[in-house]
Amino acid sequence: MKIAMAVKTKSEESAVAPLFGKAKYFAIIDNQDNKIEFIENINRSGVEAIKLLLAQNINIMLMSHMGEKPFSIALSRGIDIYYLGNERITIKEALDKLNNNELPLAKNLNTDLFFKHGKHDHGHEHDHGHEHDHDHIH
């Protein structure tokens, strides 16, 4: 089974990146041998990132914030998506929480927790200099 998560750096000690589609890299973990492979998120687009991960034959995704389209595509392909929350978390901590059954399946949660770009709370506000107009599933 392969597990994917968006990460900030190509390091096993990396923190998980808060925004799925904008992440610089993805960590792909093979839970058979716990080997971690890093792939670059060249396009910085959520939909393109899902395509990249599907090509890696992933089964599980761990994420904090993700757009509606990549979320829907991943679910339609049978990928289990687990929500990591808003706190800073490393690859190892995220895997430990997954292995200890401490992460909720995202499809069972209110999608506002992870769809609202720029409205997540990690100690500061975002001002991107432009407006967003998103339709969200409730």
Side-chain angles (χ1 to χ4, degrees), residues 3-10 17 19-29 36-42 44-46 48-50 52-53 61-62 66 91:
I3 303 162
M5 64 186 91
V7 294
K8 293 182 176 185
T9 63
K10 289 171 58 173
L19 297 175
F20 171 80
K22 303 296 181 194
K24 290 183 181 179
Y25 304 99
F26 291 100
I28 310 292
I29 301 97
I36 301 176
E37 176 187 352
F38 295 94
I39 55 175
E40 189 171 359
N41 183 16
I42 298 167
R44 303 281 173 90
S45 152
E48 293 302 316
I50 282 294
L52 184 68
L53 295 177
M61 281 180 37
L62 309 180
M66 178 180 226
I91 293 171

Side-chain angles (χ1 to χ4, degrees), residues 22-134:
K22 303 296 181 194
K24 290 183 181 179
Y25 304 99
F26 291 100
I28 310 292
I29 301 97
D30 186 331
N31 75 344
Q32 299 294 321
D33 58 12
N34 288 324
K35 180 183 171 209
I36 301 176
E37 176 187 352
F38 295 94
I39 55 175
E40 189 171 359
N41 183 16
I42 298 167
N43 294 309
R44 303 281 173 90
S45 152
V47 171
E48 293 302 316
I50 282 294
K51 291 177 185 177
L52 184 68
L53 295 177
L54 288 171
Q56 299 293 317
N57 297 314
I58 65 161
N59 309 95
I60 294 173
M61 281 180 37
L62 309 180
M63 63 84 191
S64 293
H65 296 278
M66 178 180 226
E68 184 177 337
K69 284 182 184 175
F71 181 79
S72 296
I73 293 168
L75 286 182
S76 73
R77 297 295 183 94
I79 296 172
D80 288 329
I81 305 171
Y82 291 88
Y83 180 58
L84 292 170
N86 291 321
E87 301 301 317
R88 183 185 185 282
I89 188 168
T90 65
I91 293 171
K92 182 185 181 320
E93 291 167 338
L95 290 173
D96 287 346
K97 284 185 178 243
L98 178 67
N99 291 332
N100 293 327
N101 296 313
E102 297 174 12
L103 297 175
L105 272 170
K107 68 181 181 181
N108 297 337
L109 301 174
N110 179 339
T111 55
D112 284 349
L113 287 171
F114 46 86
F115 281 172
K116 287 191 173 182
H117 171 70
K119 300 206 187 303
H120 50 280
D121 183 14
H122 53 221
H124 63 273
E125 290 296 317
H126 291 268
D127 182 6
H128 298 286
H130 60 274
E131 295 295 319
H132 291 277
D133 184 21
H134 297 287

